[in-house]
Every structure is written in structure tokens, then in C-alpha cells.
Amino acid sequence: MNICYDEKGTGNPGKGPVRGRFESGSVLEVDTIAVVLLFIDGVGLGDQASYNPWVTHPTPHLSDLLGGNSLCERAVGAYGADVLLIKTDATLGVRGIPQSATGQAAIFTGRNAPAAMGCHMSGLPFRRLREWVEQDNIYRQFRRKGWRATFANSYTKEYFARPATRRGWISVTTATVQSADEPLRDLSDLLAGRAVYHDLTRRTLKRYMPELEEIVPEQAARDLWGIARDYHLVVHEFFLSDRAGHKQEPELVSWVIETYDRFLGELVRKKGPHDTIVLVSDHGNSEDLRVQTHTANPVPTLIIGDREAVEEKEIAKWDLTCIAPLLHRLVQRQIRGKEEKDG
């Protein structure tokens, strides 16, 4: 396994968290057509086999999208007029097993992070990679175009109080949104339906806050669309899929797959005719329970909506660096379509 580490694992991330209230009507009005990016950690396109829980566990909503197929490499292809599953290279031409930090950096910047760093980097980004993603990423790119992008996940005060967080040990997703001075969503936003917790149902948060009400994944999907109506792009990160692959606890694996399938099903059901959902992962893991490590399998890019934004000639060389340009293209096509419709 070719994983390397930066020479310095600490450092000040530069700016503290930007916190703001996400009141209804507090953002500039944008077109009600939206793009939703679902980043699901640690899900590869594996074999149609007994060791792949994405095949053996029921996923009625995913299967409905994929013509009766499970989420595996065999299902790659187009389905109807608005669903496309693309086999996505996560190795990016760098030897070794793909890892979280550089995989996520590639997704959120559109640049080849493993090649820039010289290797695949695991876990949270060290200072060199963190500064690299802060320089240019999807949030900053959208802002330069006058478009609005937001991260839907909520944070707790305890997260920012941790010594590790204060030293700069933050995820790529957090580093990118902070770099654009976008406000981060907190518990008050979550309780008001203006944020979505990382696990969708608030199950893990309830362990520390017993008084908190757990919600169904369908409600998380409805909340996410509520957020999306004020933005061109809304992003959600779900990482328990990667944890389930590492831990290989049957109950957690089952819960993750059922919960996410229900969430995705409701998200699709509530999708407007011109909205687009893009689901992508950073590396393989939970699709092969024979191992507790990441895999070299390709990962899914699942497009639900404007699949014509991807040209046929692009598919053969599709990799993680294609995601950010795709998001730009989807929004641009939406804006152009709206302008043509309005004359």
C-alpha cells in the first residue's frame, strides 16, 4: 500500500470557522433548479458477489434507478433518459491503494491530488495538502462565477473545541468550505431543518444528546432539498459507509446501506424535473468485506438528472478530477436553459 505522510501533521488552519445563520430568505435569490452533490465515503464498484453487501443487501431505490441491478461494476451504463452510472478511476495514475485525503481533494478541486502530493494520502489532510485544497476548490470556483454553493452538513461546538481541530486536523470537506468563507451550519440550523447531519438520521448525535429526536432518512432528504432551493449547488458528506467497511460490523453495514438507500430514494422522489443529483465516492472499501482496508476498485459516479452533460467520449477516461468540472457544466447548462426559456 503506497501511503505517504506530510512532514508536518499540525498547523493552524489559518481562519477559525465562519459561523452564520441560515434563515429563510437570508440568501440571494437564485434559480430554483439545483445540483446536489452526494459524497459517500468508501464505496467502490465491486463484484456481484456474496462479499459485496451493496449486492447482498436489499437496495430497492438504487435497484429501481439501475434497471433492477445492484450498485456494482456490472451495473455501469445508462438507464432511461436521466440516469447514468459511470465507472470512475480513483487511482489517478498513482501507484497504490486510493485513500481519503487525496481522493476527496481531487473531487473537490478537479485537480489530481495524488499526483501533486506524489502519493495517496489517508485520513485527514496534512498541512501541505490542506493548503493545496484551500487555494482552489469548488466553493471558490463557484464564488468567482457569482454562483452559490454550500455544505449542508452541520457541526457541533464540541468539534471546534477539540485540540486536534484547533491544530488544523480537519477534513477536506471542511477545509474547502472554510476557505471560501462560507458559514458552517450548527446545531440550531440542524434543529430548524436548515442542515443535515452526517449520518442523516442524527443517530450518532443522539448518543451524546439523548433528548435529541432521531429522524428518518426521508426527512433528511426533504431537508436537503429545502437547503438546495437557495443555492446552485449543495453538498452532503456521508462517511459511515467507510467506517462500516473498516469495522465490518454486520449491523452497521446493514444500517448504512438501508439508510442511504432510503435517503436516496426520497431525494429522487422529491427531485424537480430539471434538478440533478451527482453521487460519487473517493475510494473503494465497503463493497468488499473480505478485507478491512480500502480497495483499488473503481468508484461510482451516479448522475440522476441531466446525464447529457457528460459526453460519450469522456466516459472511458472518467476519474475523480472530472467531478468538479461536471458540477460547473451542470449549473451552466441549467442557467443557459433558463435563459433560453425566458427568451
Side-chain angles (χ1 to χ4, degrees):
M1 185 181 300
N2 184 31
I3 309 173
C4 69
Y5 300 89
D6 206 331
E7 65 275 12
K8 294 181 180 179
T10 61
N12 192 325
K15 302 175 182 177
V18 178
R19 295 189 176 89
R21 296 302 299 274
F22 294 84
E23 302 290 355
S24 177
S26 64
V27 298
L28 295 177
E29 183 178 354
V30 298
D31 198 299
T32 55
I33 300 171
V35 175
V36 171
L37 175 64
L38 301 178
F39 165 53
I40 180 169
D41 199 333
V43 179
L45 289 175
D47 300 327
Q48 188 164 334
S50 60
Y51 48 79
N52 185 350
W54 291 93
V55 170
T56 59
H57 286 64
T59 53
H61 302 293
L62 270 167
S63 295
D64 185 59
L65 290 169
L66 300 175
N69 294 304
S70 301
L71 185 65
C72 62
E73 188 168 359
R74 182 177 176 178
V76 167
Y79 298 89
D82 60 357
V83 177
L84 177 64
L85 178 62
I86 307 175
K87 182 169 69 172
T88 307
D89 173 34
T91 64
L92 297 171
V94 176
R95 292 181 59 187
I97 303 298
Q99 300 295 327
S100 297
T102 40
Q104 293 167 28
I107 291 171
F108 285 91
T109 66
R111 297 177 288 152
N112 192 330
M117 298 297 111
C119 59
H120 296 287
M121 290 182 163
S122 65
L124 302 177
F126 291 106
R127 185 169 61 186
R128 182 161 61 100
L129 178 57
R130 188 182 67 241
E131 291 176 348
W132 189 85
V133 301
E134 287 173 340
Q135 289 170 2
D136 188 50
N137 55 69
I138 193 66
Y139 298 102
R140 295 173 71 95
Q141 293 161 12
F142 268 47
R143 173 167 285 193
R144 287 197 296 270
K145 290 184 175 182
W147 299 347
R148 302 217 62 191
T150 190
F151 190 45
N153 289 54
S154 64
Y155 294 81
T156 62
K157 292 180 180 178
E158 289 75 16
Y159 171 80
F160 290 107
R162 295 175 186 169
T165 304
R166 296 172 68 86
R167 291 197 303 270
W169 286 97
I170 56 177
S171 67
V172 166
T173 48
T174 300
T176 51
V177 70
Q178 281 193 240
S179 74
D181 292 330
E182 282 293 320
L184 301 178
R185 298 170 192 271
D186 58 21
L187 183 61
S188 65
D189 296 307
L190 182 68
L191 297 178
R194 298 188 299 261
V196 178
Y197 205 59
H198 73 79
D199 69 359
L200 304 176
T201 69
R202 310 174 187 177
R203 181 192 194 194
T204 54
L205 186 58
K206 188 175 175 64
R207 296 174 187 171
Y208 307 99
M209 301 179 63
E211 72 281 5
L212 188 70
E213 182 180 355
E214 190 172 344
I215 64 171
V216 295
E218 290 83 359
Q219 182 59 52
R222 293 189 287 270
D223 289 345
L224 191 62
W225 276 127
I227 297 166
R229 294 308 171 205
D230 287 327
Y231 294 87
H232 296 97
L233 171 70
V234 62
V235 179
H236 181 263
E237 174 186 18
F238 182 87
F239 58 79
L240 289 185
S241 39
D242 188 53
R243 185 173 298 175
H246 286 304
K247 288 182 173 294
Q248 297 191 345
E249 296 175 357
E251 182 181 352
L252 178 59
V253 171
S254 297
W255 186 88
V256 161
I257 294 174
E258 178 188 350
T259 299
Y260 207 83
D261 185 65
R262 288 173 58 186
F263 166 71
L264 182 62
E266 181 70 2
L267 207 63
V268 172
R269 193 177 76 83
K270 290 290 187 179
K271 185 181 81 67
H274 302 293
D275 297 324
T276 298
I277 300 166
V278 178
L279 179 151
V280 70
S281 189
D282 51 352
H283 55 74
N285 182 354
S286 60
E287 80 285 358
D288 189 343
L289 294 183
R290 297 175 299 176
V291 296
Q292 290 183 292
T293 59
H294 295 176
T295 72
N297 286 331
V299 299
T301 297
L302 177 60
I303 302 170
I304 307 162
D306 185 12
R307 72 173 180 84
E308 297 298 326
V310 176
E311 298 182 17
E312 185 69 29
K313 63 183 180 181
E314 297 178 284
I315 293 177
K317 295 184 179 180
W318 196 262
D319 63 31
L320 294 181
T321 66
C322 298
I323 303 303
L326 171 63
L327 300 175
H328 283 267
R329 196 181 311 165
L330 286 167
V331 172
Q332 187 62 62
R333 285 167 63 90
Q334 289 179 346
I335 292 173
R336 188 181 304 120
K338 177 75 162 50
E339 291 173 346
E340 292 173 355
K341 182 180 178 181
D342 293 344

